[in-house]
Amino acid sequence: MGELEKKMLPIGIENFLEIRKENYYYVDKTSMIRDFLLRRGKVNLFTRPRRFGKSLNMGMFKCFFQAEGDKTIFDGLDISEETALREKYMGKFSVVSLSLKSVNGADYETARSLLCTVIGNEALRFYDLLESDKLTKEEKEIYRQLITVDPGGQSVFQMSDAALMGSLQTLSRLLERHFGRKTIILIDEYDVPLAKANEQGYYDQMILLIRNILDQALKTNDSLYFAILTGCLRVSKESIFTGLNNLKIFSITDQEFDSCFGFLDDEVREMLDYYELDGSYDRIKAWYDGYCFGDASIYCPWDVLNYVDKLRVRPNLLPQNYWANTSGNDAVRRLLKKASFQTRDEIERLIAGETVNKEIKEELTYRELYDDSENVWSLLFASGYLTQRGEQPGGLRVLAIPNKEIHSIFMTQIREWMQDRARENQE
């Protein structure tokens, strides 16, 4: 097969439908649909570092379950062999799908406006509800509250607090009335608004808003079939999932779904063989492998795709650092700034290729992240800057730097920290 005949790599593309329709190279993760249907809870939360394919998998779920759309995009994939599951679940539901990664305003009003835009645009997908003979006049008026444009131009959609907080429950209830089937709710990057709110100083307002939206959508919603959320952190139940006792969590320490986010070794080898780049395997493994999710050894897919794409043009190109995770870099900086003698010694051991034993708190609020250096270790673990290499008695995790790429980030941050210290000493 000539170079021009090979599939393009989906650089910067997280849209599952686009990848399949445009015939981009796709690492098949559709067996996750089968495994999920066999193990799911009512409300399911997947926590993984950013850039490990959460959004792509959420798009996969949406395309599989929603009634509309071309289902031939699953032909030839693993899930196509599950005839019984396809007949029972494929295309049988209304799906409300949101990504909150863009809700990152500098103040509460801006963030609230962005959230209204995300929800309002999703509600507009179901504009036929206004013509439904299954809905009453009053129900249609309630739906209008979700799609009404702000005449003052302060935001795209004009939504009262009550309408916004009840929006997902309202939309799923109206969809059930219209279609006669329960609704699936997908919320990608649910914790981004909380992270941004914590950085900008309006955390209390945002946590109240998100808590009320999720409480009504996920706890007191008889029209909900199931829900899936993804995020980087498993935010403490006390802060956001108050009273939600039907939450099933699949984190990076769990064996369930451990190979569904990121690339496995054989998947990377298959990709390199396809693009005739087998000679680059050792470099790619050293730089981008090394993450341990459950029992699986995982490559960062973002890094692999970007590097392989460049190798196709420049076969001798050395590995590069593709991470620009501001929160993770900030966590390294804060850890160094707060570092005690013991902490600096632990960082030096990590850089030397050794490990450190730490208690990892998987349930934190964003407000607690930087209270002390021990919490920062948990953030570095959750965001992919450290990975696990086993457990010790007392619930301690054996932590290590996963690969050369992350090692280079630590080195860069240490150099900057040392320069800052030198400037402070001069002053």
Side-chain angles (χ1 to χ4, degrees):
M1 183 185 296
E3 183 67 21
L4 294 177
E5 296 175 298
K6 294 185 185 296
K7 296 180 180 180
M8 294 183 295
L9 286 159
I11 306 302
I13 300 174
E14 299 176 325
N15 187 310
F16 177 81
L17 180 61
E18 181 180 358
I19 287 174
R20 294 296 294 163
K21 281 285 191 181
E22 300 299 325
N23 199 32
Y24 284 95
Y25 190 94
Y26 174 64
V27 176
D28 190 353
K29 298 292 183 179
T30 58
S31 60
M32 182 184 180
I33 299 172
R34 176 200 62 218
D35 296 341
F36 173 78
L37 289 171
L38 296 175
R39 307 174 193 175
R40 69 176 178 85
K42 184 75 169 181
V43 181
N44 309 269
L45 171 62
F46 291 94
T47 59
R48 294 294 187 278
R50 295 194 170 92
R51 299 189 168 182
F52 277 82
K54 297 190 299 295
S55 298
L56 182 57
N57 282 344
M58 290 290 266
M60 173 188 73
F61 279 121
K62 176 184 177 182
C63 289
F64 182 84
F65 289 110
Q66 70 180 359
E68 63 270 21
D70 180 6
K71 304 309 176 192
T72 63
I73 60 174
F74 290 96
D75 290 352
L77 300 178
D78 289 344
I79 194 62
S80 65
E81 300 177 7
E82 304 291 338
T83 305
L85 287 179
R86 284 168 60 104
E87 291 179 353
K88 183 176 180 180
Y89 293 102
M90 178 180 270
K92 304 296 185 183
F93 300 91
S94 300
V95 178
V96 175
S97 179
L98 308 172
S99 172
L100 303 189
K101 66 177 63 178
S102 63
V103 182
N104 56 2
D107 54 63
Y108 175 72
E109 291 304 322
T110 303
R112 184 189 182 282
S113 176
L114 291 170
L115 185 58
C116 288
T117 299
V118 170
I119 294 175
N121 281 329
E122 179 64 7
L124 276 176
R125 286 206 305 120
F126 306 101
Y127 198 76
D128 289 346
L129 289 175
L130 290 177
E131 305 299 326
S132 173
D133 58 3
K134 304 289 181 62
L135 301 184
T136 66
K137 178 181 178 181
E138 290 74 19
E139 288 172 327
K140 292 178 183 179
E141 187 58 37
I142 291 173
Y143 172 70
R144 285 188 185 278
Q145 294 179 26
L146 305 183
I147 60 171
T148 299
V149 175
D150 180 11
Q154 298 300 310
S155 60
V156 178
F157 292 92
Q158 181 181 13
M159 237 180 271
S160 67
D161 282 347
L164 178 57
M165 291 177 181
S167 56
L168 300 186
Q169 184 195 61
T170 297
L171 189 55
S172 55
R173 178 169 53 83
L174 296 179
L175 288 171
E176 184 186 23
R177 287 268 293 157
H178 178 66
F179 291 107
R181 54 180 178 248
K182 291 187 181 296
T183 303
I184 292 171
I185 296 178
L186 307 176
I187 304 177
D188 190 29
E189 304 285 12
Y190 86 99
D191 56 337
V192 167
L194 304 179
K196 297 300 180 182
N198 186 58
E199 293 172 10
Q200 300 295 337
Y202 56 92
Y203 185 76
D204 288 339
Q205 292 169 288
M206 184 54 69
I207 201 75
L208 180 63
L209 177 59
I210 297 295
R211 180 194 297 153
N212 275 284
I213 291 173
L214 296 184
D215 188 62
Q216 294 190 48
L218 308 180
K219 180 185 175 185
T220 58
N221 187 359
D222 293 333
S223 297
L224 178 68
Y225 189 67
F226 66 73
I228 306 176
L229 296 84
T230 73
C232 182
L233 288 185
R234 171 181 165 181
V235 179
S236 172
K237 288 183 179 180
E238 286 71 26
S239 70
I240 191 168
F241 296 119
T242 305
L244 191 64
N245 55 11
N246 59 349
L247 181 66
K248 192 167 186 178
I249 299 172
F250 305 99
S251 75
I252 56 177
T253 61
D254 296 321
Q255 295 179 16
E256 293 181 288
F257 304 100
D258 57 4
S259 63
C260 295
F261 298 87
F263 294 161
L264 298 173
D265 191 74
D266 60 348
E267 293 170 339
V268 172
R269 287 181 180 273
E270 184 177 342
M271 181 188 301
L272 294 178
D273 179 66
Y274 177 80
Y275 289 108
E276 301 176 13
L277 294 169
D278 304 78
S280 301
Y281 168 77
D282 290 337
R283 281 178 288 166
I284 289 175
K285 184 173 182 62
W287 270 75
Y288 307 127
D289 189 18
Y291 300 92
C292 184
F293 296 168
D295 287 338
S297 180
I298 299 293
Y299 292 73
C300 177
W302 172 273
D303 299 335
V304 173
L305 290 173
N306 276 279
Y307 186 46
V308 170
D309 186 58
K310 289 180 171 58
L311 283 177
R312 295 178 64 190
V313 180
R314 299 174 58 190
N316 296 320
L317 180 70
L318 294 176
Q320 298 180 350
N321 179 0
Y322 295 103
W323 276 52
N325 188 328
T326 304
S327 63
N329 288 334
D330 186 55
V332 176
R333 285 193 292 270
R334 293 202 187 200
L335 183 61
L336 288 167
K337 188 172 182 179
K338 289 190 170 189
S340 62
F341 178 81
Q342 177 182 347
T343 304
R344 288 196 294 270
D345 177 67
E346 290 171 325
I347 295 172
E348 289 175 2
R349 285 163 51 197
L350 287 170
I351 291 172
E354 300 178 24
T355 61
V356 298
N357 299 333
K358 290 292 176 181
E359 178 187 0
I360 295 300
K361 301 174 183 177
E362 292 199 67
E363 284 195 3
L364 287 169
T365 66
Y366 275 94
R367 182 182 285 125
E368 298 171 328
L369 288 181
Y370 300 111
D371 283 353
D372 61 61
S373 60
E374 294 304 305
N375 287 350
V376 180
W377 291 108
S378 297
L379 174 59
L380 290 172
F381 177 64
S383 57
Y385 282 75
L386 295 173
T387 193
Q388 58 184 338
R389 294 286 184 258
E391 294 185 66
Q392 290 291 320
L396 298 178
R397 297 276 173 184
V398 181
L399 302 182
I401 294 175
N403 52 44
K404 288 187 175 182
E405 180 182 36
I406 304 301
H407 183 274
S408 71
I409 292 174
F410 270 87
M411 293 300 295
T412 299
Q413 294 300 328
I414 285 175
R415 283 194 293 269
E416 292 180 1
W417 172 74
M418 292 178 68
Q419 291 169 358
D420 291 340
R421 291 295 296 271
R423 282 193 293 268
E424 290 173 4
N425 290 336
Q426 289 175 355
E427 293 172 359

